[in-house]
């Protein structure tokens, strides 16, 4: 699978608009006005059509972006790799399956129209960079205080530019596991995973929600990996995804003297706390998930797990109340971490 859409611009354009195209989304409004004026004044200027199309793509205005790309071609612009990639991306964002398919076939991808009318092919998993402030193409969202600025999620591509997010994220918005995503074609990084160089692409738009029900959990385990192993017992498609593992210990020397120099910790055994997200896809019974988790916990007495919202959504308020008590205990006890 190719990993980038090609050069962002191959010709010179008006400097003010080019500069604004690389700035904040609100500055793009001024760039848009400049481009529209310049295109009206000189319809033969290929570079202005091209750069305006890239701005419109980044803004999530895919139909308008396609019109600008067509104007670029009509003005004599090359229908090369960069043109086909940007056409494929914008057509996918606009929901124009056949137009997107034609662009990918012109790039010699083995791809067909799927049952949803959009391109479908076999591609290796890649990563997408997701901003807590929203996709490049909007809409913007206000990030929660306890989430990172960016997360990197694995996606299973259906085409060179869109696919399903596989990773339950720390953030809840703008996207999460199971959603159908559109990404831009120029990688923001490459990273090695198990000997393979995997590209990461920037998120352009959330095309469709996956309908997953998502529940945050807290847990305690005697040994690393015990909570993560609970995932194996879940129904197909459900995930118990660990975001964070911490070790908390009460050291008598630390407590009595506030010693900061390295020393042997004296006191009760370390406690291992875990937090993460349980994701349940559409069609999977919450009761089945609860039953399987209960069975797994019965054979793993070294694990304590609190998922109060899961029980609440399944109508078991008594179990939810018990888990809420455990949730508070795990949160408070996990506040002392091993340095």
């Amino acid at each position: 699978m190719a990993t980038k859409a090609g050069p962002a611009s191959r010709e010179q354009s008006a400097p003010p608009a080019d500069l604004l195209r690389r700035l904040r989304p609100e500055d793009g409004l001024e760039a848009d006005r400049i481009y529209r004026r310049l295109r009206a004044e000189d319809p033969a200027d290929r570079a202005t059509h091209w750069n305006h199309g890239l701005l419109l793509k980044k803004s999530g205005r895919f139909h308008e972006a396609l019109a600008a790309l067509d104007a670029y071609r009509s003005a004599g612009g090359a229908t090369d790799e960069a043109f086909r990639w940007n056409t494929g991306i914008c057509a996918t964002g606009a929901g124009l399956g056949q137009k997107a398919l034609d662009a990918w076939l012109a790039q010699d991808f083995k791809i067909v129209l799927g049952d949803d009318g959009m391109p479908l092919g076999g591609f290796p998993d890649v990563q997408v960079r997701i901003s807590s402030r929203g996709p490049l193409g909007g809409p913007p969202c206000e990030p929660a205080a306890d989430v990172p600025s960016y997360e990197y999620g694995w996606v299973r591509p259906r085409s060179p530019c869109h696919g399903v997010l596989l990773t339950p994220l720390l953030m809840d918005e703008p996207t999460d596991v199971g959603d159908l995503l559109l990404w831009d074609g120029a990688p923001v990084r490459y990273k090695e995973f198990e000997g393979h160089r995997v590209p990461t692409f920037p998120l352009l738009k959330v095309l469709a929600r996956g309908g997953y029900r998502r529940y945050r959990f807290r847990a305690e385990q005697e040994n690393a990996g015990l909570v993560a192993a609970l995932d194996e017992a879940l129904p197909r498609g459900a995930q118990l995804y660990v975001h964070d593992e911490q070790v908390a210990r009460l050291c008598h020397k630390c407590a009595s003297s506030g010693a900061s120099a390295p020393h042997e910790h004296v006191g009760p055994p370390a406690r291992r706390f875990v937090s993460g997200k349980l994701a349940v896809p559409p069609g999977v019974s919450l009761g089945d998930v609860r039953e399987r988790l209960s069975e797994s916990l019965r054979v793993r007495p070294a694990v304590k797990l609190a998922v109060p919202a899961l029980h609440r959504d399944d109508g078991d308020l008594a179990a939810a109340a018990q888990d809420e008590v455990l949730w508070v205990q795990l949160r408070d006890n996990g506040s002392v971490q091993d340095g």
Side-chain angles (χ1 to χ4, degrees), residues 18-296:
D18 276 351
L19 176 62
L20 288 170
R21 183 168 54 82
R22 293 168 172 82
L23 298 180
R24 299 167 301 174
E26 54 267 31
D27 296 319
L29 295 175
E30 185 176 352
D32 181 48
R33 288 193 291 270
I34 294 173
Y35 278 132
R36 290 183 188 280
R37 175 175 57 80
L38 293 176
R39 289 176 62 194
E41 291 174 352
D42 186 3
D45 186 347
R46 297 189 300 268
T48 303
H49 295 308
W50 176 260
N51 285 316
H52 193 201
L54 297 185
L55 172 69
L56 293 166
K57 177 190 70 172
K58 182 180 176 182
S59 303
R61 296 153 68 179
F62 300 112
H63 287 280
E64 293 177 80
L66 287 169
L69 290 172
D70 286 343
Y72 160 82
R73 181 179 57 184
S74 297
T79 56
D80 55 8
E81 180 182 18
F83 176 85
R84 291 189 291 267
W85 264 88
N86 281 290
T87 298
I89 292 167
C90 293
T92 302
L96 303 176
Q98 185 62 55
K99 190 175 184 68
L101 179 68
D102 292 342
W104 302 134
L105 290 175
Q107 283 294 111
D108 295 325
F109 286 114
K110 295 181 179 179
I111 196 166
V112 298
L113 280 185
D115 292 339
D116 62 352
M118 298 304 294
L120 178 65
F123 301 90
D125 292 351
V126 297
Q127 288 199 322
V128 168
R129 186 181 71 177
I130 301 159
S131 169
S132 60
R133 294 191 176 277
L136 291 175
C141 59
E142 188 64 31
D146 57 348
V147 301
S149 298
Y150 291 95
E151 283 192 73
Y152 298 91
W154 286 97
V155 292
R156 182 144 299 156
R158 294 183 179 178
S159 80
C161 69
H162 88 294
V164 177
L165 179 62
L166 303 177
T167 308
L169 302 177
L170 272 169
M171 62 181 75
D172 292 322
E173 295 294 339
T175 186
D176 208 345
V177 60
D179 291 351
L180 186 64
L181 307 183
L182 174 74
W183 53 85
D184 204 359
V188 295
R189 71 170 189 179
Y190 289 90
K191 190 172 181 179
E192 292 284 334
F193 292 96
E194 300 180 349
H196 298 282
R197 191 167 180 253
V198 177
T200 299
F201 301 99
L203 175 64
L204 267 179
K205 182 181 180 181
V206 179
L207 296 175
R209 294 292 189 176
Y212 275 61
R213 291 149 293 173
R214 301 161 294 170
Y215 305 99
R216 298 193 182 274
F217 69 83
R218 292 183 182 273
E220 183 177 359
Q221 58 188 6
E222 286 188 2
N223 297 297
L226 291 180
V227 171
L230 297 175
D231 182 77
E232 300 171 2
L234 294 177
R236 184 175 182 179
Q239 294 186 60
L240 189 83
Y241 192 87
V242 172
H243 287 140
D244 187 48
E245 295 192 33
Q246 301 175 347
V247 178
R249 67 173 81 237
L250 177 60
C251 171
H252 295 324
K253 289 184 179 180
C254 291
S256 61
S257 63
S260 58
H263 62 276
E264 182 178 350
H265 295 287
V266 179
R271 300 178 66 181
R272 301 177 182 274
F273 296 94
V274 178
S275 61
K277 186 179 285 185
L278 170 67
V280 183
V284 172
S285 163
L286 296 183
D288 189 18
V289 172
R290 294 177 59 213
E291 182 178 349
R292 295 194 186 204
L293 282 176
S294 180
E295 292 173 355
S296 295

